[in-house]
Amino acid sequence: MSYRNDSDSVELGECTRNPGYKDADGDGPAARDNISASDSEEKRDSIGVKRLSDARDEYTQIKPYAGMPKELLVLYSSKARYRVPREILFWLTVCCTLVLVAVTIAVIALSPKCLSWWQASPVYQIYPRSFKDSDGDGVGDLKGIREKLDHFEYLNIKSIWISPFYRSPMKDFGYDVEDFRDIDPLFGTMKDFEDLLAAMHSKGLKLIMDFIPNHTSDLHRWFNLSRTRDPHYEDYYVWTDCKPDGPKPNNWVSIFGNSSWTYDEVRGQCYLHQFLKEQPDLNFRNPDVIKEMIDIIHFWLEKGVDGFRMDAVKHMLEAPHMRDEPQVDPNKPPELVTTEWDLHSDYTTSQVGLHDILREFRAQMDIYSQEPGRYRFMVTESYDYEEVYKTMMYYGTRLEKEGDFPFNFYLLDLPQNTSGVWAKHLVHLWMGNMPKGKWPNWVVGNHDRTRISSSAGRLYVRAINMLLLTLPGTATTYYGEEIGMENINVTASQIQDPAGKYNTSASRDPQRSPLQWNADTNAGFNEKTNLTWLPLHPDYETVNVEAQMKDDGSVLAQYRFLNTLRQSELPLNRGWFCYVHADANVFSYIRELDGLKRAFLIVVNFGKESAVTDLSSVRELPDELKVLISTTIANDGKVFPKSRIQTEVGEGLVIQYSTNTLFNPNHPEECYISEKACYLETIDILYKC
């Protein structure tokens, strides 16, 4: 290196020695200049090898500086005062990374499964004819639904089930499907459906479609090909020999009454229909039929629908031997057997092989559920009445999944006996039979059943909504229940329902009237003309969405508050459910979560008189209890001693309290939970326990 000393600077040059440097022997650069040329030539290689070593000796007097050469950087980086801190920082980084990875793995391993969208929100059923009419023909449609999506955001509802809108001759208002891959013009077009679905997804809403596997319309292409004995479609339906003027093949009876068999003149045989004669049953013992239905499932899943409600699934298979079903009353003359209640449906429902088909449907849906954030939901419909064990089979097994849950219709029987004991019985009918780890659900109304506000009475509407939204699991709300709509009166000349035309007392029109949006003409259902497909309820001027949005004490306001509370409070959306008390009037239960001091006591009076409930024997409750919300708004915030909790007829209380002693550890036989989870307050997380 060379060295140049100017007046203002010092510069190091390559291969020039520092003239101010003295080595240990006192020899300076001058001595080394006297080395002979021959000695220099001989030692050139050794000098080159020692250059880095020499540099370490020669530059100990120079401090590090920006832009130093690589040799100098290596020199200083190897010194302990630089190397040790660097190694400490490196190993600290490694250790911190390993700790973070371990913590992340532990959190993932210990965290309970997040609630899916169908668990976190109630399912809201839309009957499309009656929700909102956008074109003035008096019948609700898909564009009308799209216009009112803000209603679900207001209610904090994410899951919407829309009853059938397939192309149909409307003999059973859409449950007689002519084309599973098309939209009936009454409701709009496929473009209208796609726009609705896109709008729903943009708002974080999920769409559940009705899927009707048991039968088609008699106008369906498959049926027309089957009746003409097309080789591929000949066995798509259930046919058997019979004569046009002779006896029926057996005594099987339709849901709508009279024989399940109708003679077809084109084919010269009888076909089975467990519903209307215009709804021939498909033959699910034919693998081609199963494949056709799976293809239809794929069609709508490709469109982006989020799930299916499987209609009337218990009727999908019939016993191949086609024997007469046993009569409920053996002494009744066979010619008087005309309704489904006259027979034990041993050969026409819940046949061996049914669940195999449904599990195949589920497996196909699971393929689409692999897409992140797009779980596809499946719920089955089966009225099994006292045979609750049959309903529970639709959950599937530990090894094979079926529906996410079957609809629970037992709360529809609440009006039969308005009492706390009866309410507990109906709840326990499900909770006591549900397979371990499964998710419950609750239904208090639908398009086939009388509105709960009419069957139980308007006095109980708020209490029933409170029950629905504080029980564990998923609530299902039929449109209008959120404002307490009641049945309408329909005269014989106004009947639209095919079932009502067969039997006026069986008409389902009263519970299907247009939704009451406001006090304007046609209750805001049809704002273009004066047409409504069914009459409006005369109370629409006061019982409507718009009016109740302005009233903090309305049915709508309380429904919204309870739904929001349920979704925001861990004890309500995934905690323990424990029976506390039931008597002739009051049904009471606790919702709590392990590790969380905050819990909820729900007290609901389903009786016929006011009641004072004494819970002093429940030592896990504090002595004084403060009401968070009452169905009687004047009682919000009221404080009761636990020995005297007062409720009026049809009143419900949600009481929030704090406790260090949970109820469920001391009363395991009274408590249920789908998936146990504990709360760790110090770091605010849930974990498996």
Side-chain angles (χ1 to χ4, degrees), residues 57-68:
D57 295 334
E58 294 171 4
Y59 292 106
T60 56
Q61 298 177 354
I62 299 177
K63 295 180 179 181
Y65 60 91
M68 69 178 71

Side-chain angles (χ1 to χ4, degrees), residues 95-206:
C95 290
C96 289
T97 301
L98 291 175
V99 169
L100 285 173
V101 170
V103 169
T104 301
I105 292 173
V107 168
I108 293 173
L110 294 175
S111 294
K113 183 180 178 182
C114 292
L115 295 183
S116 188
W117 56 267
W118 53 272
Q119 297 171 306
S121 164
V123 173
Y124 186 101
Q125 182 190 356
I126 291 177
Y127 194 67
R129 281 178 162 266
S130 301
F131 193 70
K132 181 68 171 72
D133 176 18
S134 70
D135 57 11
D137 65 356
V139 178
D141 47 48
L142 298 179
K143 284 185 177 180
I145 297 172
R146 185 181 176 190
E147 289 176 7
K148 291 296 185 179
L149 292 181
D150 289 346
H151 182 58
F152 306 113
E153 291 186 299
Y154 175 78
L155 292 175
N156 199 23
I157 284 175
K158 304 297 183 185
S159 309
I160 301 169
W161 156 33
I162 306 179
S163 293
F165 46 81
Y166 303 104
R167 181 179 288 277
S168 166
M170 296 297 165
K171 296 295 184 179
D172 191 19
F173 289 154
Y175 285 94
D176 51 323
V177 181
E178 183 179 349
D179 188 344
F180 284 102
R181 292 179 173 85
D182 199 7
I183 308 296
D184 196 271
L186 188 69
F187 301 120
T189 64
M190 186 61 77
K191 177 69 163 53
D192 294 334
F193 168 78
E194 292 168 348
D195 290 344
L196 170 62
L197 184 60
M200 289 177 63
H201 285 170
S202 70
K203 293 178 178 290
L205 305 176
K206 305 294 185 178

Side-chain angles (χ1 to χ4, degrees), residues 565-576 591-593 596 598 600 679 684-686:
L565 181 72
R566 177 189 178 277
Q567 294 184 45
S568 62
E569 289 289 350
L570 289 172
L572 291 173
N573 62 47
R574 67 182 309 155
W576 286 94
R591 303 300 312 279
E592 62 185 18
L593 185 73
L596 190 64
R598 187 172 63 257
F600 295 89
Y679 178 73
D684 190 29
I685 65 166
L686 280 175

Side-chain angles (χ1 to χ4, degrees), residues 195-261:
D195 290 344
L196 170 62
L197 184 60
M200 289 177 63
H201 285 170
S202 70
K203 293 178 178 290
L205 305 176
K206 305 294 185 178
L207 190 153
I208 302 165
M209 282 185 65
D210 240 317
F211 185 67
I212 307 155
N214 180 68
H215 50 262
T216 69
S217 164
D218 60 350
L219 298 184
H220 197 288
R221 182 177 65 90
W222 300 342
F223 186 71
N224 287 322
L225 290 169
S226 184
R227 70 198 307 202
T228 57
R229 297 183 183 270
D230 180 282
H232 181 71
Y233 295 95
E234 185 173 5
D235 293 327
Y236 264 46
Y237 295 83
V238 181
W239 296 94
T240 192
D241 291 332
C242 70
K243 296 180 179 180
D245 53 356
K248 300 299 182 182
N250 55 38
N251 70 343
W252 296 357
V253 175
S254 162
I255 299 300
F256 291 109
N258 298 317
S259 176
S260 292
W261 298 97

Side-chain angles (χ1 to χ4, degrees), residues 39-58:
D39 291 339
S40 178
E41 182 66 26
E42 291 173 0
K43 295 182 179 180
R44 182 176 299 165
D45 293 340
S46 63
I47 292 172
V49 171
K50 293 180 180 179
R51 183 173 295 164
L52 181 57
S53 178
D54 292 343
R56 288 173 181 159
D57 295 334
E58 294 171 4

Side-chain angles (χ1 to χ4, degrees), residues 597-664:
K597 295 180 180 179
R598 187 172 63 257
F600 295 89
L601 170 69
I602 292 86
V603 181
V604 188
N605 188 336
F606 287 112
K608 292 180 170 58
E609 58 186 14
S610 59
V612 175
T613 304
D614 181 4
L615 298 181
S616 56
S617 62
V618 185
R619 60 184 180 85
E620 293 86 357
L621 292 173
D623 292 334
E624 289 192 338
L625 299 165
K626 185 177 181 180
V627 176
L628 176 64
I629 181 174
S630 167
T631 56
T632 302
I633 193 171
N635 290 336
D636 288 359
K638 197 169 184 178
V639 177
F640 292 105
K642 69 176 179 179
S643 60
R644 289 188 59 83
I645 303 173
Q646 187 170 350
T647 52
E648 299 300 322
V649 178
E651 183 179 9
L653 308 175
V654 174
I655 297 169
Q656 180 178 314
Y657 64 94
S658 182
T659 182
N660 291 316
T661 306
L662 295 179
F663 186 86
N664 77 82

Side-chain angles (χ1 to χ4, degrees), residues 456-518:
R458 181 173 289 184
L459 187 62
Y460 296 95
V461 169
R462 298 165 187 262
I464 291 172
N465 277 341
M466 179 174 285
L467 178 73
L468 194 69
L469 293 169
T470 56
L471 286 172
T474 299
T476 298
T477 293
Y478 183 50
Y479 82 97
E481 287 176 356
E482 73 273 29
I483 60 172
M485 278 179 60
E486 296 183 88
N487 279 17
I488 60 170
N489 291 320
V490 179
T491 65
S493 62
Q494 293 172 321
I495 289 177
Q496 303 289 323
D497 181 23
K501 292 179 178 179
Y502 280 92
N503 178 2
T504 56
S505 64
S507 175
R508 298 164 293 180
D509 290 330
Q511 58 262 31
R512 299 177 176 181
S513 61
L515 183 57
Q516 296 158 199
W517 292 102
N518 55 46

